[in-house]
Amino acid sequence: NMSDIIDIILNKGLGSFSYEEKCNLKGKRPTPHLSLEYKEAKTLRKFQLSWYSKFNWLAGSVERNKLFCYICVLFRGENEWSINGIPNIKNLVRKAEKHQISKKHLTNKESFHMLGKNRIEHSISESRRLTAINHNKQVDINRKILARLIDVVCFLGKQELAFRGHRENEGSLNKGNYCEILDLLAKEEQFIREHFCTNSVFKGTSHDIQNDLIHCVTTVLNSHILKELKITNFISIQADETTDVSCQSQMSLIFRYILDNKIEERFIGFFDVSKNKTAVGLSEIIINELSKWNIGKKVVCQTYDGASVMAGEKNGVQSIIQNIYPMAIFIHCYAHQLNLVLLHGAKSIKDVKLFIANLTMFHTFFSRSSKRSSLLREQGFKLPNQCNTRWNY
């Protein structure tokens, strides 16, 4: 019920009205006929409706039977005109003329005329709000794109697949596993497709970005492994030296421990040992890693193959490690023992023996360090030299 707007505003309080409601009140100045009288000598003066026309800000309240300044009621003016009201009409014209030139009334009048109009500060505020919304949308898209890149990195690492191809330009039939998987995802997900088509600064396919993502994933995995190592009480280490497809000697290292009554094996990384394959060089790498992870006191077992450089009782890796960590008992790897049993058993079969001999010579034939490889390169032959991206974590 808006029959007496002045009374409603004063009862509810101006703060209870929203900006839109204030805009609606702007054109609803109440001008009711009031029963106000004033007797002067023998003359009886009564309220005149013409005063509303003379003073376009004058308003009346039937409930309170008083006159108010409608502008000051809306914008907190002088108490006499905005809260208390004028209860009699004695000298009303003179009071109204004085009020309408007051500083407070003029300030409120300016605010009253600007109410509902698009002020510059409102436009700036709205522009900032829209800018923030657009920025947040772009941030959300960027996070989704980065999540897809990380998913691809984790997938390739889990499946032990190489990241890069021989040629990764747009005209290549095979750009490598990383780029090809992203192209496959772009066919089904629009935001990835738009990212590759519109973004010229960051696409996430360069070698540096791939390496950075691998490093980030490695850091997260290492932090998870470190938390587990702090909880467990006993740890065993497993190491083995092998040669990769590029004929580079490297040693793999694994930590094995029990967590929540479950055996866990965590691959720590590959380490280049091509320059020093001695027991001292190999044991130095293991000791450095034990010190890096701060688990030397928890090591109770070490497992290697049966090669003398690893299993030697006097100068082998196991002997050097045990001198530093006495509780690290050496156990000959059961997998290598089974391999030796099968190998020696197979050597009794002539065809298998010839196959193994030829296979061993095949590796020597293509070895980088062999003289035969040098001669073949001088003669123009191209030898296989494949490089895979290795995980180090």
Side-chain angles (χ1 to χ4, degrees), residues 30-173:
T31 57
H33 188 280
L34 303 178
S35 58
L36 295 175
E37 296 180 350
Y38 169 68
K39 189 174 183 180
E40 185 177 5
K42 296 182 180 181
T43 305
L44 181 63
R45 298 183 181 276
K46 295 185 178 182
F47 176 79
Q48 300 178 27
L49 289 173
S50 61
W51 289 340
Y52 288 130
S53 300
K54 185 175 182 179
F55 304 104
N56 59 3
W57 45 266
L58 191 64
S61 170
V62 176
E63 295 289 337
R64 298 176 183 241
N65 198 30
K66 293 180 181 180
L67 291 169
F68 295 85
C69 173
Y70 191 60
I71 293 176
C72 290
V73 169
L74 292 177
F75 292 94
R76 303 284 186 180
E78 298 172 351
N79 289 345
E80 185 182 15
W81 287 95
S82 63
I83 298 176
N84 299 329
I86 306 297
N88 60 71
I89 58 175
K90 183 180 179 180
N91 300 323
L92 179 65
V93 174
R94 190 170 64 213
K95 290 180 180 179
E97 290 176 346
K98 182 180 178 181
H99 173 71
Q100 69 180 2
I101 62 173
S102 66
K103 182 178 179 181
K104 189 66 175 177
H105 175 80
L106 293 174
T107 302
N108 290 339
K109 186 177 180 180
E110 180 184 1
S111 300
F112 182 79
H113 285 295
M114 293 300 298
L115 182 64
K117 297 182 179 180
N118 190 18
R119 301 179 64 175
I120 183 65
E121 57 265 31
H122 294 163
S123 300
I124 294 175
S125 178
E126 181 67 13
S127 176
R128 288 176 178 172
R129 187 182 71 85
L130 295 176
T131 301
I133 291 175
N134 293 332
H135 173 74
N136 292 336
K137 287 182 179 179
Q138 186 59 48
V139 169
D140 185 57
I141 293 175
N142 291 341
R143 288 178 176 176
K144 288 182 179 180
I145 292 171
L146 188 59
R148 292 296 182 273
L149 298 181
I150 295 174
D151 289 340
V152 173
V153 170
C154 294
F155 173 78
L156 293 176
K158 179 181 178 182
Q159 300 302 119
E160 300 182 3
L161 298 174
F163 277 60
R164 300 166 192 167
H166 185 60
R167 293 185 183 88
E168 296 185 359
N169 53 23
E170 292 298 329
S172 176
L173 296 177

Side-chain angles (χ1 to χ4, degrees), residues 271-338:
F271 304 91
D272 183 14
V273 294
S274 55
K275 295 182 180 180
N276 189 354
K277 297 182 181 180
T278 63
V280 175
L282 298 177
S283 60
E284 183 178 353
I285 293 176
I286 297 176
I287 293 171
N288 289 338
E289 287 301 308
L290 294 177
S291 175
K292 172 184 173 181
W293 293 89
N294 193 26
I295 58 171
K297 296 181 180 179
K298 296 183 178 183
V299 176
V300 296
C301 178
Q302 49 180 327
T303 303
Y304 318 117
D305 59 18
S308 59
V309 68
M310 301 296 293
E313 295 183 0
K314 293 184 178 181
N315 299 317
V317 171
Q318 66 98 357
S319 177
I320 297 175
I321 297 296
Q322 198 165 26
N323 288 336
I324 301 176
Y325 305 108
M327 301 299 294
I329 301 174
F330 169 69
I331 296 177
H332 187 186
C333 176
Y334 291 147
H336 283 90
Q337 291 186 42
L338 177 61

Side-chain angles (χ1 to χ4, degrees), residues 6-44:
I6 298 293
D7 187 63
I8 294 174
I9 294 175
L10 295 178
N11 286 333
K12 294 181 62 177
L14 193 61
S16 62
F17 291 86
S18 64
Y19 179 78
E20 290 75 13
E21 289 174 336
K22 291 179 181 179
C23 292
N24 293 331
L25 292 174
K26 182 178 180 181
K28 295 183 178 181
R29 178 172 66 107
T31 57
H33 188 280
L34 303 178
S35 58
L36 295 175
E37 296 180 350
Y38 169 68
K39 189 174 183 180
E40 185 177 5
K42 296 182 180 181
T43 305
L44 181 63

